[in-house]
Amino acid sequence: MSANIPWTQISFNPLTGCTPYSDGCLNCYAKPMATRMSFNPDPKIAYKYRNGFKLTEHPAELEKKIGGKNKIVFMNSMSDTFHKNVSESFLFGIFDFIRKHPKHIFQILTKRANRLSIIRDYPSNVWLGVTVEKSDYLDRIECLMNTNATVKWINCEPLLGPVESDKIQSLDWVVVGGESGPNCRSMNMDWARQIRDICEEHDIPFFFKQAGGPGRDKGGKNLDGKTYKQWPKSISLDMSRSVIQLSLFNVDAA
Ligand code: SF4
């Protein structure tokens, strides 16, 4: 399905449902969306979300094919791939699926970084990320660095406090965004500036998604009047074209 997230193109969900894990989960976007999907007029979609936001594995999804090439796919945007209730066999199935789609990039993002070591050999077309919403969760970066993933990234969304660490210097990509929605917690722009400055100093691609605020994009998408939509450096030339189109699309959609 197409994703309304500017740092990806499409999402693919062999898992649905989750449970809160840390501060960033308070206003989880996936939970109300799963409830809405369970009432979708399309019976196939309604069936997929029959359990609402309860963690559910969908083995049939792993039999599907994602056509074309050079797509950036957010794997499990409606769950957390490394949730404790995801069986190891299903987890291995997800990574087999990724290996069968070498022409696409799969973004995986988790807060359950302690389970990352279950996968010993990450496929080279995975961008493996952990959420770090404030400095309390820096240990997730350590777990990430212990993997062999080709692209390691952090998503500081929603950014809820400073993220102060020299570990940022070892990353391949950093995404920052403030929380939006009626109950959003505001982001101090200095927290975002601090991360951006570390990225600039160490030549790490930096993507600023949004400042956040009570309405969608209320705070705007710029940081100090500038747009930051940088991508990991390791992408191929073909993929770069796709990414450039994606950036243009997202600028236009702003
Ligand atoms: S980990 Fe992600 S999907 Fe799961 S509850 Fe938290 S915000 Fe929602």
Side-chain angles (χ1 to χ4, degrees):
M1 80 185 178
S2 69
N4 204 5
I5 302 173
W7 45 257
T8 195
Q9 280 179 309
I10 59 170
S11 59
F12 182 71
N13 285 289
L15 289 169
T16 53
C18 195
T19 46
Y21 190 72
S22 61
D23 299 70
C25 299
L26 184 67
N27 297 313
C28 171
Y29 71 92
K31 189 175 180 183
M33 196 182 287
T35 306
R36 279 202 302 278
M37 295 285 211
S38 69
F39 295 106
N40 195 287
D42 181 336
K44 281 193 191 150
I45 296 176
Y47 180 76
K48 183 169 180 181
Y49 289 89
R50 65 197 177 279
N51 294 331
F53 203 50
K54 185 169 180 244
L55 198 286
T56 306
E57 297 175 352
H58 301 275
E61 294 291 305
L62 297 178
E63 304 300 320
K64 291 183 178 171
K65 279 207 163 57
I66 300 178
K69 59 179 183 173
N70 297 330
K71 290 203 173 83
I72 301 176
V73 184
F74 182 16
M75 177 66 89
N76 293 318
S77 64
M78 294 295 289
S79 183
D80 184 329
T81 301
F82 288 91
H83 190 284
K84 67 178 170 44
N85 293 348
V86 179
S87 63
E88 290 199 6
S89 60
F90 196 78
L91 205 46
F92 294 146
I94 289 173
F95 286 92
D96 285 345
F97 178 90
I98 291 173
R99 283 187 194 91
K100 284 180 196 156
H101 290 81
K103 297 204 185 303
H104 299 310
I105 294 283
F106 290 86
Q107 297 164 317
I108 298 210
L109 184 62
T110 186
K111 294 185 175 75
R112 278 90 171 172
N114 54 320
R115 291 195 87 203
L116 287 175
S117 59
I118 293 172
I119 304 299
R120 291 299 173 91
D121 189 17
Y122 282 89
S124 57
N125 56 331
V126 164
W127 293 357
L128 189 64
V130 294
T131 303
V132 182
E133 58 264 50
K134 55 184 181 176
S135 290
D136 296 24
Y137 305 117
L138 291 174
D139 56 326
R140 295 176 189 164
I141 304 181
E142 258 168 56
C143 298
L144 177 66
M145 297 318 289
N146 287 334
T147 71
N148 74 332
T150 324
V151 171
K152 301 181 180 84
W153 61 292
I154 59 170
N155 186 6
C156 303
E157 269 190 279
L159 186 60
L160 299 175
V163 174
E164 291 164 328
S165 170
D166 50 14
K167 295 188 184 92
I168 293 176
Q169 301 168 21
S170 321
L171 295 164
D172 301 296
W173 193 35
V174 174
V175 176
V176 166
E179 194 166 48
S180 56
N183 303 314
C184 67
R185 295 158 284 178
S186 57
M187 176 178 74
N188 183 328
M189 292 298 262
D190 282 342
W191 302 336
R193 287 187 187 105
Q194 193 178 24
I195 298 169
R196 177 205 55 195
D197 292 349
I198 295 172
C199 290
E200 286 192 336
E201 192 183 337
H202 296 278
D203 197 22
I204 297 160
F206 176 74
F207 194 111
F208 185 72
K209 185 180 159 204
Q210 60 183 33
R216 191 173 165 75
D217 294 335
K218 265 286 191 307
K221 293 180 175 179
N222 291 347
L223 180 58
D224 293 334
K226 199 172 159 194
T227 303
Y228 293 88
K229 287 186 188 295
Q230 297 163 358
W231 298 87
K233 291 174 193 158
S234 65
I235 52 175
S236 66
L237 190 62
D238 280 354
M239 184 62 75
S240 300
R241 291 195 189 103
S242 168
V243 159
I244 287 164
Q245 281 165 5
L246 176 60
S247 299
L248 289 173
F249 170 76
N250 285 317
V251 169
D252 289 341

